[in-house]
């Protein structure tokens, strides 16, 4: 019982800080997306392709979450975007408090869009709201189409499911149809895009989805001019 | 500070129960291995191939850990081995208490080897000793060779690193050499086997490694007759 009480307390505390983050972002009209997946599903590779498309229209800032190191942040800094690295120091997910200072930096700088790359983990990040508008999750086809049944919370939380590495489909037993069905069993109507960072398939569709969500948040049909 | 104290307390409590599990297994001379990886790295597929080789020489029991469901246990039950399913109910890893009852069952039944398949997660399971003799971890080549730098604790804990899905190597940028070097930077001397559950490469080597560890535990050069 002690464990459960502590966990409930931690989540309630997280939700309070997430609400602060969300209010700060809303006040500046910044759209935020939390990108999550298992380790190695291709979050950073996808962002390397999608962020330049978004950056052509919006001012994009990035928060990069890792247990240790800054390898992914260094990859994304090559895109000439502001990237804030957060090391969780062993923790298996970002939480609202960890990103709070970086959100402060973002709302006081020039930004329209905040992209947060979470720690690679299909379980724990799903429980922690960071204050984002949307969660985007990747499932790579090499992971198997049974994953929505085994990790339902993440698929329930996702606003968009990106089925990544589809260039490897022929080499695997993965059924996109079964994966999507299993995902929609736990999250009816979940939107899905198929992507390959190698062939470029679906990259523009992911960017378009994010742009649609930005427009919806602003209640506008078209994005503003950049600058 | 409260969080840290609670976490320290939880780990200390886990270690006490793990020590009980270890003593129970030792008393019956049962060797136990804890199999860990990211989601979709191929733990169940590897066990489907390796367990029949072990079962030809030893009495093998399995504990299967999943957040929800019993899909993997059902796959392994087809091998005609006793399989105990544990659902963690949301928790992102097995802990010593969760497996304690199942370990009781195993030590009171006929078994020489206990194989525990953990929840798919490269982070949290590494922190929780279950009372096993060895940790075996899988890294699939589609996850990228940077993973030892990003998830060092799991690679430090592993007794054997299985580099899985090597049939897909030509389709990826994965460098086995770089992955092994990065793994040995955090865990000098770590043993490595390359495997493919599709081609069968390395499967016998994994079984041989486990047999070697069983023999070492027993201080014997050869396994006992089965039965």
């Amino acid at each position: 019982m002690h464990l459960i009480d502590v966990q409930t307390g931690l989540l309630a505390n997280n939700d309070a800080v997430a609400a602060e983050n969300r209010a700060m972002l809303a006040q500046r009209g910044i759209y935020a997306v939390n990108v999550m997946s298992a380790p190695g599903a291709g979050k950073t590779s996808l962002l390397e392709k999608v962020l330049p498309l978004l950056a052509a229209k919006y001012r994009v800032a990035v928060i990069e979450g890792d247990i240790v190191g800054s390898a992914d942040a260094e990859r994304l800094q090559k895109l000439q975007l502001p990237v804030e690295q957060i090391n969780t120091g062993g923790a298996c997910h970002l939480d609202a408090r960890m990103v709070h200072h970086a959100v402060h930096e973002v709302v006081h700088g020039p930004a329209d869009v905040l992209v947060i790359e979470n720690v690679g983990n299909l379980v724990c990040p799903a429980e922690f709201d960071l204050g984002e508008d949307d969660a985007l999750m990747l499932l790579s086809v090499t992971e198997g189409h049974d994953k929505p049944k085994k990790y339902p919370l993440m698929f329930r939380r996702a606003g968009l499911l990106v089925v990544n590495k589809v260039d490897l489909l022929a080499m695997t037993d993965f059924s996109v149809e079964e994966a999507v069905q299993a995902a929609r069993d736990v999250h009816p109507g979940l939107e899905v895009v198929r992507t390959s960072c190698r062939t470029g398939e679906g990259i523009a569709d992911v960017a378009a989805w994010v742009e649609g969500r930005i427009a919806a948040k602003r209640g506008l049909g078209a994005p503003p001019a950049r600058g």
Side-chain angles (χ1 to χ4, degrees), chain A residues 42-197:
Chain A
K43 292 182 295 303
T44 312
S45 296
L46 185 79
L47 293 179
E48 284 177 321
K49 303 286 185 184
V50 170
L51 296 189
L53 300 182
L54 294 176
K57 296 181 183 172
Y58 305 96
R59 296 167 299 182
V60 177
V62 180
I63 295 175
E64 180 59 49
D66 282 297
I67 294 171
V68 292
S70 57
D72 291 350
E74 286 158 25
R75 286 171 63 185
L76 295 179
Q77 267 164 344
K78 290 181 184 154
L79 303 175
Q80 310 296 325
L81 300 173
V83 180
E84 182 95 14
Q85 173 76 55
I86 296 177
N87 282 149
T88 66
C92 52
H93 58 87
L94 290 172
D95 67 28
R97 189 170 293 281
M98 287 180 208
V99 302
H100 186 67
H101 177 74
V103 170
H104 260 292
E105 298 286 314
V106 169
V107 299
H108 288 101
D112 308 305
V113 176
L114 169 61
V115 176
I116 305 169
E117 182 178 346
N118 217 312
V119 175
N121 186 331
L122 265 192
V123 191
C124 320
E127 293 190 48
F128 287 82
D129 183 12
L130 306 181
E132 74 274 7
D133 294 286
D134 287 310
L136 185 158
M137 78 157 289
L138 284 75
L139 173 67
S140 75
V141 304
T142 54
E143 292 169 57
H145 52 244
D146 59 341
K147 292 299 164 288
K149 289 182 184 160
K150 300 182 72 179
Y151 304 91
L153 188 59
M154 182 66 83
F155 289 83
R156 240 172 251 141
R157 169 105 178 259
L160 179 69
L161 168 60
V162 173
V163 178
N164 193 30
K165 306 190 190 179
V166 294
D167 54 295
L168 295 176
L169 268 176
M171 307 286 290
T172 71
D173 302 322
F174 191 94
S175 159
V176 175
E177 196 174 62
E178 284 187 49
V180 171
Q181 187 55 56
R184 287 181 177 156
D185 283 347
V186 299
H187 184 161
L190 175 60
E191 292 184 78
V192 181
V193 174
R194 293 163 50 122
T195 56
S196 165
C197 295

